[in-house]
Amino acid sequence: MTIRVWDYLTEYEAERGDILDAVETVFRSGQLVLGASVRGFEEEFAAYHGIEHCVGVDNGTNAIKLGLQALGIGPGDEVITVSNTAAPTIVAIDSVGAKPVFVDVRADDYLMDTTQVEAAVTGRTRCLLPVHLYGQCVDMRPLREIADRHHLPILEDCAQAHGARHHGRPAGTMSDAAAFSFYPTKVLGAYGDGGATITSDETVAANLRRLRYYGMETRYYVVQTPGHNSRLDEVQAEILRRKLTRLDGYLAGRRAVAQRYADGLADTDLVLPRLADGNDHVYYVYVVRHPRRDEILERLRGYGIELNISYPWPVHTMSGFAHLGYPTGSLPVTEELAGQIFSLPMYPSLPVEIQEKTISALRDILKTL
């Protein structure tokens, strides 16, 4: 048996009856697109966050893209964000014609270094896009102050932070809009693609609803700006409704796994995740750090353990984004992290014996490096 960073089969066996009932509910509903399941999930996901509006879309990338467009971001605008993220964050910015402008991350928690943001603001800056990475939130208080001084909207990338909190506030509620992914690996994951953008702004919400449906308010008639076919699927929405009721249990499971790692690896020279001040971490991934990362990963394969790197290539170093003009060395913390970080198995149904095997293998390897 190969141990990997993520697996859904144990969870599926436990929830199989409910998942299949969700599919049956939709198939018997008589409406397969933008029906009762999407509306129900939108209402319940908004209520979970204590916010007015949720607009379900087809994936997390389009949740960001449509969020930017709904905020009025377009060609020639600049969006300040980070390179230590999954490529879709930057793909979404690029897809609306805007330019990503990168600041570095903090060396201790790998989150946006908000002390660098104000210096990156120019006359073309139109949005700040913090990425709540690995399961905990960026320091939003100074970011909000910068946004207010320069009259800029904030769009939170919450793809990895369902249920996380910052000084008691849920991720996604500290901005003008926030984008979520429901890709299967996520803290709240569908059985396929899905996403949503939440907001308390009625105008932004109306823009989002038009944009996900070709730009239409009335069937067959495009109003104002042409949009996209970016609707959340009814089946995935109904599954997400069921799973949303279990989200707090998933979070407890992830935190229990994280605590076992912290206890089992505390006396090693692995750098373990640091909880930033004011944060409640949800451990979407459990990212550790070591200067001999590649050797550790190769030796773990001998134990039947295949781990992941989140992320091996900072976005600004990818050839597809060479046109942005960030040379090697321009984001030193991000670049150093890319050579040292890796993710341990993390999901709420992770069997204790698999986690203990992973801890034991790591301890054996670290002793002999």
Side-chain angles (χ1 to χ4, degrees), residues 1 3-4 261 305 345 347 350-359:
M1 175 185 177
I3 296 174
R4 304 188 190 280
Y261 281 135
I305 301 172
Y347 47 96
L350 178 66
V352 173
E353 59 270 22
I354 289 180
Q355 188 176 9
E356 289 177 346
K357 180 178 178 180
T358 302
I359 292 170

Side-chain angles (χ1 to χ4, degrees), residues 15-330:
E15 300 180 359
R16 181 174 179 272
D18 198 30
I19 299 303
L20 295 182
D21 183 67
V23 176
E24 181 77 0
T25 296
V26 172
F27 286 0
R28 290 189 177 277
S29 71
Q31 188 169 7
L32 299 177
V33 178
L34 291 184
S37 293
V38 167
R39 290 193 299 273
F41 174 71
E42 289 174 337
E43 292 170 2
E44 291 152 15
F45 196 67
Y48 181 87
H49 291 87
I51 208 162
E52 282 80 1
H53 306 286
C54 169
V55 179
V57 298
D58 53 346
N59 57 64
T61 307
N62 280 337
I64 299 172
K65 178 181 179 179
L66 271 61
L68 289 167
Q69 291 181 299
L71 291 168
I73 312 305
D77 295 338
E78 293 181 353
V79 177
I80 297 175
T81 188
V82 294
S83 180
N84 184 36
T85 183
T89 306
I90 312 307
V91 169
I93 296 170
D94 183 76
S95 70
V96 303
K99 177 184 177 182
V101 173
F102 297 120
V103 296
D104 214 342
V105 296
R106 304 191 299 201
D108 56 355
D109 58 21
Y110 320 148
L111 299 167
M112 173 185 272
D113 185 346
T114 57
T115 66
Q116 299 185 22
V117 170
E118 193 141 31
V121 174
T122 73
R124 293 181 297 278
T125 305
R126 294 293 179 270
C127 186
L128 308 181
L129 203 165
V131 180
H132 298 322
L133 198 68
Y134 304 150
Q136 65 173 331
C137 296
V138 170
D139 189 357
M140 294 297 292
R141 290 178 176 178
L143 200 66
R144 182 78 266 174
E145 291 171 1
I146 294 167
D148 289 346
R149 274 197 297 274
H150 295 276
H151 308 290
L152 299 170
I154 299 176
L155 175 65
E156 295 172 72
D157 181 344
C158 299
Q160 303 184 9
H162 312 70
R165 288 179 176 267
H166 182 60
H167 295 289
R169 296 190 63 179
T173 66
M174 299 170 282
S175 58
D176 299 271
F180 289 82
S181 169
F182 305 122
Y183 186 74
T185 63
K186 302 302 184 184
V187 176
L188 179 62
Y191 278 70
D193 268 318
T197 307
I198 65 174
T199 182
S200 286
D201 188 305
E202 183 77 43
T203 300
V204 172
N207 289 343
L208 286 164
R209 292 190 183 96
R210 281 195 300 270
L211 287 165
R212 73 158 177 200
Y213 190 54
Y214 310 108
M216 296 179 183
E217 290 180 352
T218 303
R219 195 176 182 191
Y220 301 129
Y221 192 92
V222 173
V223 182
Q224 298 176 2
T225 305
H228 314 271
N229 179 5
S230 300
R231 300 167 296 208
L232 177 61
D233 179 74
E234 275 287 292
V235 171
Q236 301 302 338
E238 186 61 32
I239 291 171
L240 288 166
R241 291 184 75 180
R242 312 296 181 94
K243 295 189 73 175
L244 181 59
T245 66
R246 298 187 283 271
L247 178 55
D248 289 345
Y250 299 152
L251 301 184
R254 287 177 177 274
R255 288 170 176 143
V257 171
Q259 189 59 56
R260 284 195 293 271
Y261 281 135
D263 294 341
L265 297 168
D267 59 345
T268 70
D269 61 348
L270 275 181
V271 178
L272 304 181
R274 177 188 174 274
L275 181 64
D277 291 344
N279 275 348
D280 293 331
H281 207 312
V282 297
Y283 298 101
Y284 165 60
V285 283
Y286 192 90
V287 174
V288 298
R289 182 178 178 186
H290 197 281
R292 296 175 70 176
R293 186 267 314 280
D294 293 344
E295 183 178 350
I296 292 170
L297 291 181
E298 180 60 34
R299 291 178 63 179
L300 281 169
R301 293 187 187 100
Y303 289 81
I305 301 172
E306 295 277 350
L307 299 188
N308 191 38
I309 302 170
S310 301
Y311 300 95
W313 299 285
V315 178
H316 73 281
T317 68
M318 297 178 184
S319 59
F321 292 103
H323 63 282
L324 296 177
Y326 286 84
T328 300
S330 58

